[in-house]
Amino acid sequence: MIDSYLRPAKIDHALAALADRRRVIVAGGTDFYPQRVGKPLTGAVLDITALQELKGICEDRDVYRIGALTTWTDVIHAPLPAWFDGLKLAGREVGGVQVQNAGTVGGNICNASPAADGTPNLLALDAVVELRSARHTRTLPLAEFVTGNRRTNRKPDELVTAILVPKPPDRACSTFLKLGPRKYLVISIVMVAAVLATSDDGSVTHARFAVGACSAVAQRLPALESELLGRQAGPALAALVEARHLSPLSPIDDIRATARYRHDAALILVRRAVGTLSRHA
Amino acid sequence: MHEVTFELNGAPVSLAASPIRRLADVLREDLRLPGTKVGCNAGDCGACTVLLDGEQVCACMVPLGQVAGRRVLTVEGLASHGELNPLQRAFHHHGAAQCGICTPGMLMAATELLRRHPRPTLDQVMDRLGGVLCRCTGYQKIVEAVLSVAHGHELSPAPPAGAAVGARLPKVDGVAKLTGTEIYGADYVPEDSLWLRVVRSPHARARLTIGDLAPLYQRFPGLVRTLAASDIPGSNRFGAYPDVKDQPVLAEREVRYRGEAVLALVGDAQSVYAITDDDIPIEWHVLEPVTGIDAALAASAPAVQTDKPDNILVRGRLRKGDADAAIGATTYVAQGTWQTGFVEHAYIELEAGYARRVGDRLEIGVTTQAPYMNQHETARTLGLEPTQVRIIPTACGGGFGGKLDLSVQPLVGLAAWLLDRPVGAVYTRPESMACTTKRHPARITARAACDAEGCLTAFKFHADFDTGAYASWGPTVTDRVPLHCTGPYFVPHIMATTTAVLTNAPPAGAFRGFGVPQAAIAHEALMDMLAEQLDLDPLEFRLKNAIQRGQTTPSGQALAASVGVRQCLQALRIRWRDWRAAAERSNRSTSTTVRRGVGIGCIWYGCGTTSMPNPSAMAVGIAADGTVTLYSGAVDIGQGANTVLIQICADALGIEAMRMRYVMGDTDRTADAGKTSATRQTFVSGKAAELAGADLRRQILRMTNAAAVARIEIGDGIIHVRDDERDHVIDLTALPELPQGDVLRGVGSFDPPTTGLDQDGQGTPYATYAFGAQIAAVEVDTELGTVKVLRMVAAHDVGKAINPTQVEGQTQGGIAQGLGYALMEDYVPGRTENLHDYLIPTFGDMPEIETLIIEDPEPLGPYGAKGVAEPTLIPTPAAILGAIYHATGVRIHQLPATPDRVRAAILARASLRAASSE
Ligand SMILES: Cc1cc2nc3c(=O)[nH]c(=O)nc-3n(C[C@H](O)[C@H](O)[C@H](O)COP(=O)(O)OP(=O)(O)OC[C@H]3O[C@@H](n4cnc5c(N)ncnc54)[C@H](O)[C@@H]3O)c2cc1C
Ligand code: FES
Ligand code: FES
């Protein structure tokens, strides 16, 4: 049985509760409950959903701050610049509306599923995770925060309070392509997030790509990113994407698809993402 | 425990409960509002959708603690003062609820949508309802209902007396389903029931020893009793066939599939769920499982069941003419091998029920498709007389064949019997998926031949079916498939064989079509291939060969009437030509990445049990107060039997259908109508209902000496019988009461005329056949291998559409299951035991479907009707695979046609072409 359930309204109380003993954190609950089907609900729970200061997205000088409790619905409806389009597209594809209304961005990265739709987008946005405990506050690039399949660098007494997204160049735009075997409520076979910016003369000044569901943790594609820098945006750009650019990926065979298929599909989707963004740019 | 206060359906509530409990459980158990359904507890099905501060959420993933101080709206809060609200009315009018288990979730998601967008677009409806799954409707009628709310709905006037057959009567049980008051298996357990949880094998094959359970009672004082195989007082073996009882209620020394029941824990709900499998002292000696057909047939394979050393459960066979000679005599021969996997029924309602002992009898309320079979089987296992067991079917939230076999019945029955306390049980989703029956995986090798004119001459067919660890309905599949394996065509020479192979997989049993969907994939691909060899149009080729009245079936049965396959094909012809031409135009004019194609599937299906008696008996009574009741032993599993049987019976009796009440399936109050399967209830029980109505009418006319055409009007305690001459009156209150409490009673029974089959499979296995044909237009992304079905048209010969709305609903729902089968459904034991790894179609996966109802009347059926339920799924995969071929030139030989398989086939074809052009 659950021997303790706390739902504090103040962050200090929450952090004190975490310092006090090991607790399972519950936010939207959309990963928490499905992992406990037919099983007793045991242990101590810290429900963080009353922490108002963890909700919503705000703009600072150099960064956008996405509160850990920001729901996918919040993301979809927030007035945000074009380089968040990819994250919004991801939000629309996380589960159904019920899941989007409850599920949080913080929960998505903390749950650290290889198929988490938020992660590739946030990686492509160079996002940084802010963690707080009763002792300290620290920040960690998302790429270092998620360390493996369902593993993160979060310490048991730490709360993820926000995801910080540094502003890319002004004209950056982004997209997200998700491939799954059905339309709604689908766990990705492959997904690609991309952010691209060009200068006035149309040459690429900023390129970020991340691919999810093709490795234990979503991976950036640095070779491709540097390949594209300085190139002229346009229909020819997509043709530059080659299989060797996908070397950070290590897809596996599973019930959803074969490894080979995942690899090929990732290549196609990255090309399509480049194609889409270079038309926008 | 915390005190939590919130607003529920407009009124404040306050209760003490653990704040981490799922809101869905609190609503259902503590607040006694079972309208919110639980299909998975994992966010996957959306049946539990409620509005929290106006936003849709899954109540199975909301901790009660988060609801404090907020507003919750559930389905019970929609209707006011018993009046359906406009959305509910639209659902009712459109037939948007079939089994109704998804309906509360659909209504809540739609309520949120309509508050935001009173005039929503199609995309908005799909997006905002996309988180709720429906396994019955194919979603189209739900979409239509939601879109129509803006226009307001007056329910069409109820049909007058004698005009119910053919009318779009809303479901007689619709209002209960729309208001959340319908009671399903998990929605009622008697006060102070104990709870039962089944401990299941995590291994596919193992020997086991159960250790000392005494310490468990000490650790968990709420545990009252455990049940093991040795506690079963009657026979521990059950099975669908009278002579094949091979499945243990609880495993004895060995388990034969993952999910097999081993032990039952009975106690308070909290305790039985707190005991984890690790707490239970079972010693497992794990053995290498026999997985798949090849492994089972290998000479060295261990026997899954010791008395079947070759792992062959049963074989089927049909021979007509000389197929080999006929194939040798022509150059036009097509052949291939096809493979399909396990498919899960994925009804949204989990298996559930309760039992209570009443003196020396047992009462079992349960979700089921077969109350009378359940009664006999449960009695056998408990060592009771069948009359000592009363089965009261609850509403059934989807069955599709999966609720024919026993689930909770024997275990809750035994526990209640031994403990003399009511006992309830509800499966979890992973449990339901692991332990219940599946569609048979098949490996089919088939060959078809025709002459130079394109007339079919011969067919050779063999199918191996993976029947899993126990027989279940395996013999039905091996019997039925040879009879249907050619498709609805006249073929003079046939050789067909089938084998059901035992493996350490879940028992494969009954699932919409009993093996015929698998066979249809093969016969329809062969038709396409032969047509191509002769350069004939695939539809015209089928039309040329379509079986006609007077011709004989593979079993040598001459079809005397109701053979509508030609009409079905003719009805599709114009669309077929237009769609094919449009697809080819589009492929010529646009990029090579996205290609379109159109395919066709054509089928037939014998209504009723194969070559066995399958009688149904119905009764209709009038009580002293004038209440008219249909006593129907036929369970409505969402397909609408309650409604069509009333339509038929009311017309036969000559009263308004809306006046008629019903009792469904209660074995104390109805007669055996047989099980709800094999597309038999409209045809067989429908005929019995017609005869019962006619019987009662005859009695009434005789009592009053009225003319045959007289009008019967039933009022409070009185019947007026009016003919041209006079107004005769029967004072019901003056009549003596009959046993059921009625004062008048008509009965009818019907057993369709069939014969046994000889050793060549010759005879009359079915009294009538349903026919159908469907065409599908698809779009294939050739780079990704993804397939989108754009639109479909289905033409089905149903004899007579008793209720056209329901025929459309069956068609759309069958197509949804067929589409899932074709493109995404693949059950892998241990891997896909939930609804996010096992994928069924969502709103966004369904094409627009047009239904063409063909009525070639069946003289034996009620008002000419036969059946439609199973046939609608059967042609869909074939049509989709044909469309993929038309689009890309690749034939898919393995289901499901997932993106990786389609892409691999496209790549293989490309490299083959490159090699041959070098
Ligand atoms: C039907 C369904 C479909 C889904 N589809 C998708 C999908 O398509 N794509 C996808 O990416 N995900 C999907 N999900 C998963 C899930 O909805 C998302 O990952 C969601 O964003 C999780 O957020 P949450 O707030 O509900 O997490 P919770 O369940 O509350 O928590 C998830 C985990 O993170 C921890 N945690 C949460 N917040 C914090 C915090 N601030 N600090 C520290 N630890 C924290 C929790 O302890 C827990 O371990 C789906 C889920 C369901 C039920
Ligand atoms: S029961 Fe909540 S989503 Fe299935
Ligand atoms: S009506 Fe939707 S699941 Fe049955």
Side-chain angles (χ1 to χ4, degrees):
Chain A
M1 251 339 261
I2 296 291
D3 51 17
S4 159
Y5 170 92
L6 295 176
R7 188 167 181 256
K10 293 228 152 51
I11 196 152
D12 290 344
H13 295 169
L15 298 177
L18 284 179
D20 170 47
R21 64 179 285 195
R22 223 189 168 89
R23 289 174 184 277
V24 183
I25 296 172
V26 172
T30 61
D31 280 315
F32 174 86
Y33 283 102
Q35 286 159 12
R36 289 164 176 77
V37 176
K39 298 188 182 132
L41 300 167
T42 52
V45 165
L46 176 70
D47 184 330
I48 58 173
T49 52
L51 302 175
Q52 292 302 329
E53 47 196 308
L54 265 50
K55 292 183 184 169
I57 304 177
C58 62
E59 184 181 353
D60 279 350
R61 220 159 52 88
D62 310 322
V63 300
Y64 274 80
R65 185 186 169 84
I66 304 176
L69 283 178
T70 306
T71 64
W72 290 109
T73 299
D74 295 336
V75 171
I76 296 164
H77 295 303
L80 291 171
W83 33 277
F84 276 114
D85 286 355
L87 191 65
K88 289 189 174 212
L89 286 171
R92 288 181 193 284
E93 301 214 32
V94 172
V97 176
Q98 300 93 325
V99 173
Q100 293 158 19
N101 282 341
T104 64
V105 180
N108 192 248
I109 61 163
C110 289
N111 189 55
S113 157
D117 286 323
T119 310
N121 289 285
L122 293 167
L123 282 176
L125 290 170
D126 294 310
V128 168
V129 180
E130 181 189 272
L131 294 124
R132 278 182 66 183
S133 69
R135 295 170 293 128
H136 65 214
T137 300
R138 62 174 179 139
T139 56
L140 207 59
L142 178 60
E144 290 169 36
F145 175 75
V146 185
T147 55
N149 182 358
R150 310 217 171 246
R151 287 209 315 272
T152 69
N153 252 322
R154 184 180 77 85
K155 304 213 170 60
D157 66 341
E158 284 180 322
L159 191 63
V160 169
T161 43
I163 294 102
L164 309 174
V165 179
K167 295 182 179 172
D170 269 353
R171 297 184 24 189
C173 51
S174 73
T175 193
F176 175 69
L177 298 176
K178 171 167 171 173
L179 173 65
R182 71 176 177 188
K183 175 80 197 288
Y184 295 108
L185 298 174
V186 65
I187 302 173
S188 304
I189 296 174
V190 179
M191 53 184 149
V192 171
V195 182
L196 197 83
T198 52
S199 63
D200 287 341
D201 67 356
S203 63
V204 174
T205 56
H206 179 95
R208 301 280 187 273
F209 292 88
V211 179
C214 284
S215 36
V217 183
Q219 293 294 318
R220 286 272 294 266
L221 304 179
L224 176 62
E225 293 170 6
S226 45
E227 173 87 44
L228 296 189
L229 274 190
R231 303 273 183 173
Q232 201 61 29
L237 204 61
L240 294 174
V241 185
E242 291 174 18
R244 67 186 164 87
H245 294 133
L246 303 189
S247 60
L249 307 184
S250 48
I252 54 161
D253 285 338
D254 71 5
I255 43 162
R256 290 184 195 108
T258 60
R260 167 161 183 209
Y261 173 79
R262 281 203 158 84
H263 193 277
D264 291 357
L267 185 63
I268 304 286
L269 291 184
V270 173
R271 283 194 184 132
R272 289 185 185 177
V274 173
T276 310
L277 290 182
S278 56
R279 269 196 302 278
H280 276 274
Chain B
M1 291 282 184
H2 287 221
E3 182 80 12
V4 180
T5 303
F6 60 102
E7 185 190 304
L8 177 60
N9 297 331
V13 290
S14 185
L15 80 164
S18 164
I20 196 67
R21 281 184 56 213
R22 296 174 155 96
L23 175 61
D25 292 343
V26 174
L27 290 169
R28 293 174 52 83
E29 293 160 17
D30 302 32
L31 297 168
R32 307 246 157 195
L33 291 178
T36 299
K37 303 303 176 194
V38 170
C40 69
N41 262 335
D44 296 322
C45 74
C48 64
T49 301
V50 300
L51 302 194
L52 182 56
D53 285 344
E55 290 198 339
Q56 54 170 309
V57 292
C58 290
C60 72
M61 300 190 296
V62 176
L64 174 65
Q66 287 187 11
V67 175
R70 299 171 76 185
R71 279 177 296 122
V72 176
L73 184 69
T74 71
V75 69
E76 286 92 348
L78 294 182
S80 53
H81 314 294
E83 280 282 297
L84 298 184
N85 78 9
L87 174 65
Q88 291 168 310
R89 274 211 298 282
F91 266 58
H92 199 36
H93 175 83
H94 283 271
Q98 284 187 24
C99 82
I101 196 83
C102 70
T103 307
M106 292 291 179
L107 289 169
M108 298 321 294
T111 300
E112 187 218 46
L113 163 79
L114 293 171
R115 285 181 181 177
R116 249 164 238 258
H117 309 285
R119 293 177 174 275
T121 63
L122 177 62
D123 283 344
Q124 285 168 336
V125 175
M126 308 242 269
D127 281 350
R128 309 249 12 132
L129 270 65
V132 192
L133 297 178
C134 175
R135 190 56 157 169
C136 300
T137 63
Y139 304 103
Q140 189 157 317
K141 291 197 178 290
I142 298 171
V143 172
E144 285 165 7
V146 176
L147 285 174
S148 75
V149 173
H151 313 298
H153 259 292
E154 282 324 306
L155 287 182
S156 29
V165 167
R168 291 178 178 271
L169 191 73
K171 285 175 89 88
V172 295
D173 42 9
V175 171
K177 293 178 196 298
L178 293 162
T179 49
T181 55
E182 183 78 293
I183 298 296
Y184 295 85
D187 293 341
Y188 170 77
V189 288
E191 288 288 340
D192 66 76
S193 285
L194 292 171
W195 213 245
L196 181 144
R197 177 171 94 76
V198 186
V199 179
R200 298 185 177 277
S201 169
H203 308 293
R205 182 164 171 253
R207 279 196 283 276
L208 72 147
T209 327
I210 299 173
D212 181 13
L213 298 172
L216 264 191
Y217 291 92
Q218 268 133 48
R219 267 185 68 199
F220 299 94
L223 179 65
V224 173
R225 170 94 207 217
T226 57
L227 300 172
S230 55
D231 295 308
I232 306 283
S235 162
N236 187 32
R237 298 300 178 108
F238 68 98
Y241 278 73
D243 53 336
V244 198
K245 304 283 180 201
D246 62 353
Q247 185 166 357
V249 176
L250 291 167
E252 288 147 18
R253 276 169 300 278
E254 187 177 339
V255 290
R256 297 184 183 80
Y257 75 100
R258 187 188 139 82
E260 183 158 349
V262 172
L263 200 69
L265 309 176
V266 189
D268 63 58
Q270 217 172 58
S271 303
V272 297
Y273 282 103
I275 301 172
T276 67
D277 289 357
D278 295 338
D279 295 326
I280 299 164
I282 300 179
E283 213 179 292
W284 296 102
H285 176 65
V286 179
L287 302 167
E288 186 62 32
V290 178
T291 307
I293 293 165
D294 284 333
L297 294 179
S300 59
V304 173
Q305 295 191 16
T306 37
D307 62 340
K308 306 252 170 18
D310 55 2
N311 285 328
I312 289 174
L313 172 71
V314 56
R315 296 179 194 270
R317 179 176 181 278
L318 182 147
R319 192 173 64 96
K320 180 190 186 189
D322 185 344
D324 281 326
I327 289 173
T330 174
T331 49
Y332 299 103
V333 181
Q335 61 187 341
T337 297
W338 290 266
Q339 244 177 300
T340 67
F342 281 110
V343 186
E344 157 64 24
H345 301 89
Y347 28 72
I348 304 301
E349 183 202 29
L350 297 163
E351 289 74 6
Y354 75 87
R356 105 174 112 200
R357 186 173 179 160
V358 185
D360 70 344
R361 296 189 76 212
L362 201 54
E363 170 189 306
I364 300 179
V366 66
T367 175
T368 178
Q369 293 178 242
Y372 284 87
M373 270 184 67
N374 288 175
Q375 180 188 35
H376 286 264
E377 291 248 275
T378 306
R380 268 187 84 251
T381 61
L382 300 189
L384 301 175
E385 288 302 317
T387 49
Q388 283 179 278
V389 177
R390 174 183 186 182
I391 303 283
I392 307 175
T394 62
C396 178
F400 318 115
K403 288 175 183 159
L404 287 170
D405 298 57
L406 289 180
S407 61
V408 301
Q409 298 87 330
L411 291 174
V412 292
L414 176 59
W417 186 258
L418 294 177
L419 297 168
D420 203 6
R421 291 257 317 257
V423 177
V426 182
Y427 284 180
T428 65
R429 174 59 60 181
E431 177 179 26
S432 166
M433 293 185 76
C435 76
T436 63
T437 59
K438 303 282 168 282
R439 181 185 295 291
H440 285 74
R443 188 175 53 201
I444 297 172
T445 303
R447 218 182 247 213
C450 66
D451 61 21
E453 271 70 61
C455 294
L456 288 168
T457 53
F459 208 89
K460 232 184 140 172
F461 177 99
H462 177 74
D464 289 318
F465 291 101
D466 184 341
T467 205
Y470 299 107
S472 184
W473 300 87
T476 315
V477 169
T478 47
D479 284 351
R480 191 176 264 275
V481 166
L483 296 162
H484 290 82
C485 73
T486 57
Y489 311 108
F490 174 69
V491 187
H493 302 282
I494 303 164
M495 182 68 223
T497 49
T498 49
T499 312
V501 181
L502 291 160
T503 66
N504 291 117
F511 192 165
R512 211 171 191 169
F514 286 110
V516 179
Q518 292 90 315
I521 292 161
H523 68 62
E524 288 308 275
L526 292 173
M527 294 307 119
D528 284 349
M529 288 153 88
L530 285 177
E532 188 172 282
Q533 285 184 23
L534 284 154
D535 208 12
L536 291 175
D537 176 88
L539 183 143
E540 300 303 331
F541 181 81
R542 286 170 170 82
L543 200 49
K544 194 177 182 75
N545 288 289
I547 195 162
Q548 303 183 40
R549 192 176 303 191
Q551 286 180 324
T552 56
T553 65
S555 73
Q557 174 182 357
L559 295 179
S562 194
V563 190
V565 57
R566 295 177 66 84
Q567 292 101 298
C568 290
L569 287 165
Q570 280 156 350
L572 295 177
R573 194 187 244 153
I574 291 175
R575 289 169 189 78
W576 168 256
R577 287 185 188 156
D578 289 354
W579 291 14
R580 291 275 279 197
E584 284 158 19
R585 246 190 338 267
S586 146
N587 291 342
R588 277 193 302 272
S589 67
T590 55
S591 82
T592 51
T593 331
V594 175
R595 299 190 56 90
R596 292 196 168 185
V598 178
I600 183 167
C602 187
I603 61 95
W604 64 327
Y605 196 76
C607 299
T609 315
T610 309
S611 285
M612 282 197 269
N614 64 134
S616 174
M618 292 272 147
V620 56
I622 303 177
D625 67 356
T627 306
V628 189
T629 307
L630 176 69
Y631 299 92
S632 160
V635 175
D636 188 326
I637 58 173
Q639 90 283 28
N642 288 340
T643 307
V644 299
L645 294 177
I646 282 181
Q647 286 179 269
I648 291 167
C649 187
D651 275 13
L653 174 58
I655 65 163
E656 282 171 56
M658 298 310 286
R659 271 206 67 97
M660 206 178 271
R661 307 276 103 85
Y662 66 92
V663 171
M664 181 191 87
D666 182 338
T667 55
D668 272 11
R669 302 185 64 199
T670 65
D672 190 351
K675 57 209 187 307
T676 297
S677 73
T679 307
R680 58 180 292 284
Q681 292 299 22
T682 301
F683 175 53
V684 184
S685 289
K687 188 68 195 180
E690 182 193 346
L691 296 173
D695 179 36
L696 185 53
R697 178 176 178 84
R698 234 183 345 262
Q699 293 178 37
I700 291 171
L701 298 185
R702 204 180 312 126
M703 285 168 77
T704 51
N705 259 325
V709 294
R711 276 185 296 127
I712 295 177
E713 282 163 27
I714 303 174
D716 281 354
I718 201 168
I719 302 181
H720 291 276
V721 184
R722 296 200 169 95
D723 57 19
D724 288 343
E725 319 253 296
R726 282 180 304 149
D727 180 357
H728 317 260
V729 173
I730 299 175
D731 179 1
L732 292 168
T733 58
L735 299 178
E737 201 166 271
L738 302 168
Q740 292 273 359
D742 292 321
V743 292
L744 289 170
R745 203 168 164 85
V747 294
S749 63
F750 178 60
D751 188 5
T754 60
T755 70
L757 299 174
D758 69 14
Q759 59 196 12
D760 283 335
Q762 301 295 295
T764 300
Y766 310 104
T768 189
Y769 295 80
F771 297 88
Q774 298 177 356
I775 61 178
V778 308
E779 191 171 84
V780 184
D781 181 327
T782 55
E783 283 184 333
L784 295 173
T786 48
V787 177
K788 168 116 189 87
V789 184
L790 302 172
R791 51 183 174 157
M792 290 192 63
V793 188
H796 286 271
D797 169 23
V798 301
K800 165 77 190 171
I802 304 293
N803 186 324
T805 301
Q806 293 194 167
V807 172
E808 290 159 5
Q810 285 300 301
T811 306
Q812 293 158 2
I815 286 178
Q817 290 183 356
L819 183 148
Y821 189 26
L823 297 180
M824 62 186 82
E825 296 188 33
D826 195 4
Y827 179 79
V828 184
R831 303 282 295 282
T832 60
E833 290 163 359
N834 57 58
L835 293 175
H836 50 267
D837 289 318
Y838 187 83
L839 301 180
I840 64 170
T842 65
F843 270 93
D845 301 299
M846 291 307 298
E848 188 189 320
I849 298 166
E850 188 186 352
T851 305
L852 308 173
I853 298 175
I854 308 295
E855 297 179 317
D856 188 346
E858 167 53 56
L860 289 171
Y863 298 94
K866 32 193 191 180
V868 72
E870 288 164 286
T872 56
L873 171 154
I874 304 172
T876 311
I880 291 172
L881 295 190
I884 294 174
Y885 176 72
H886 185 224
T888 62
V890 302
R891 282 197 199 287
I892 302 294
H893 286 261
Q894 187 177 5
L895 289 195
T898 49
D900 59 342
R901 284 192 184 138
V902 174
R903 173 69 179 158
I906 290 171
L907 287 176
R909 177 169 184 266
S911 60
L912 208 68
R913 291 182 117 196
S916 66
S917 68
E918 265 166 22

